[in-house]
Amino acid sequence: MNNTINNVAIVGGTHGNELAGVYLVNYWRNTEPQFITRASFSTETLLANTKAIGLNKRYFDSDLNRQFSAESLANMNLSNYEQSRAKVINQQLGPKGNPKSDLIIDLHNTTSNMGPSLLIPQQGEFYDLLAIYVREMMPEAVVLLDEDHIANQDHHLLSTIAKRGVIVEVGPVPQGVLKHEVNEQMAKMTGIILDFVELYNLDNLPQLPSSTDAFRYLESLTLPVNDKNERMGMVHKNIEGNDFQPVKSGDPIFALFDGTEINYQGDKTVYPAFINEAAYYDNNLAMSLCEKVVINNPR
Amino acid sequence: MNNTINNVAIVGGTHGNELAGVYLVNYWRNTEPQFITRASFSTETLLANTKAIGLNKRYFDSDLNRQFSAESLANMNLSNYEQSRAKVINQQLGPKGNPKSDLIIDLHNTTSNMGPSLLIPQQGEFYDLLAIYVREMMPEAVVLLDEDHIANQDHHLLSTIAKRGVIVEVGPVPQGVLKHEVNEQMAKMTGIILDFVELYNLDNLPQLPSSTDAFRYLESLTLPVNDKNERMGMVHKNIEGNDFQPVKSGDPIFALFDGTEINYQGDKTVYPAFINEAAYYDNNLAMSLCEKVVINNPR
């Protein structure tokens, strides 16, 4: 297969209240297009959930970033605002399976203390090299892999409709808020990814380290609830804000309202991400547990 | 006037997505009423904006905590959900000017890094003693005064319908999120206020310091906007998260998207609060500027 990246799409506002991507896409589009321009590929920009952006909400009817599995895209009965918008975006940047876009960079914010994170939903040499390059150029960046448990056709993320896709996820920032440092980190990581693509296309990558550390998603933990599905507690203060820090068996993980604690019971050390993310409260999700892994340089 | 506090009302959920107060009021009401009970006064609890709590939103039609001026309460043409709810709450805990409640403690969260703050919207010996007592028992607490610029009848806050009222404001926490430490700080400050009222009623206050430091609200700063009222920048990263830290003339205060900075131009040192508060984005408010003041022990 031809590995050259000819068309890159940078997407903001997939969630309407994650403002860094919305502002950066508008800024690059209107004021500084040279920031996202490189010689070896074309770049287009998209504001994905325009209605939710206008409302400063995550979504209008349903989460746009859960509508891009091949099955959902083919199901014409899924017709609410985001389900319709997904089909239009798939037409514009996809279609999934035979896409016009070679790479989507989808810009997101989280209320969790995840710093600048690169989320990678697929496997391959391109991604391994990208992860090592980003970590080399931006050591404060974290790489989070979620590419093992699901086929790309079944992935429901917007970033999976192109040939390749990544998510730039930066926090902590409350929903609907712009933070200077968060904007800077998002712009920096996006620029580094574009630099990488340019060097990758030109087969001109610098000498890179033989490996880099990363995290791989294992499973989600839900908040403890009673038999009426009411929350009985919250994320323990020892965990709060400590995304990507180790949690060992026996460590307190939830604080119940009655003053008692629930300890982590797993048999191996895990590393939580998306700790206490505001947008996941609808589903009572408390955090994502990850394992620490090593990405080896494939070259 | 009779200074005894006979009836205390603890209010949560005046803003529906500030969860600490909602959860604590429910918990104290259903599980641990002794936490808010003292011998010398009766305590009632209220969840104020029940509809917004159900929706996990700040408000349904308009901000409930802006509906309690004497004029708004008397205007029967103000009839949306929160305007109606305000009149009912005024009936239940007020009425303003001749209230049943001697003290309202209104529980709030902020996305700003204000820690546990006690907001005082009126002047008087009771408040001075309370401020000194709270700071003595909880040195990490901040006292924020907003009692100079407006008569109590014109104050639009829920806490101003009782004879006395204070706001317990704790952050940082994103909207719609419960944080263990924030809940603990809110419960601790509320307990200390109730202890104070008990000692005040019994004329049994301990020896208190001769003064304590506090902050007094001066004015609000708005985000820089262009002639289309679009934001041109954001709070500078040197300011972000540094609530109650000094800002001097010439310090960078806003970072514009074009890379330039705006410096603070005032002639005296100020101390910002509510920096980058998510709920104030509708009005483009960037922060509240305060001066540092000393509260002297009146006894």
Side-chain angles (χ1 to χ4, degrees), chain B residues 197-252:
Chain B
V197 172
E198 177 80 351
L199 295 167
Y200 181 85
N201 278 344
L202 302 174
D203 201 14
N204 196 23
L205 285 170
Q207 185 68 36
L208 291 173
S210 61
S211 69
T212 198
D213 289 338
F215 297 90
R216 176 173 284 130
Y217 170 81
L218 293 171
E219 59 170 334
S220 296
L221 279 195
T222 53
L223 288 163
V225 294
N226 64 17
D227 50 16
K228 291 181 223 159
N229 205 37
E230 297 164 341
R231 278 175 231 159
M232 296 169 62
M234 50 203 155
V235 172
H236 195 280
K237 60 184 173 184
N238 289 6
I239 302 285
E240 180 74 47
N242 288 326
D243 296 73
F244 303 117
Q245 297 303 309
V247 173
K248 297 186 298 297
S249 186
D251 286 349

Side-chain angles (χ1 to χ4, degrees), chain A residues 29 35 73 81 97 101 165 236 242 248 281:
Chain A
R29 194 185 267 185
F35 186 88
L73 290 168
Y81 177 71
S101 302
H236 195 281
N242 289 325
K248 297 185 298 296
Y281 264 46

Side-chain angles (χ1 to χ4, degrees), chain B residues 91-149:
Chain B
Q91 216 167 30
Q92 186 176 348
L93 304 182
K96 194 164 192 166
N98 183 27
K100 288 182 279 291
S101 302
D102 297 307
L103 175 67
I104 286 177
I105 304 172
D106 194 17
L107 305 178
H108 285 259
N109 286 140
T110 173
T111 67
S112 305
N113 188 25
M114 289 170 61
S117 295
L118 177 66
L119 275 56
I120 298 182
Q122 285 174 281
Q123 289 185 320
E125 183 191 62
F126 172 85
Y127 295 106
D128 292 345
L129 290 168
L130 172 65
I132 293 171
Y133 183 84
V134 167
R135 293 261 303 153
E136 180 73 359
M137 296 297 160
M138 192 175 181
E140 67 274 31
V142 175
V143 172
L144 179 52
L145 307 173
D146 184 18
E147 22 65 323
D148 250 9
H149 71 300

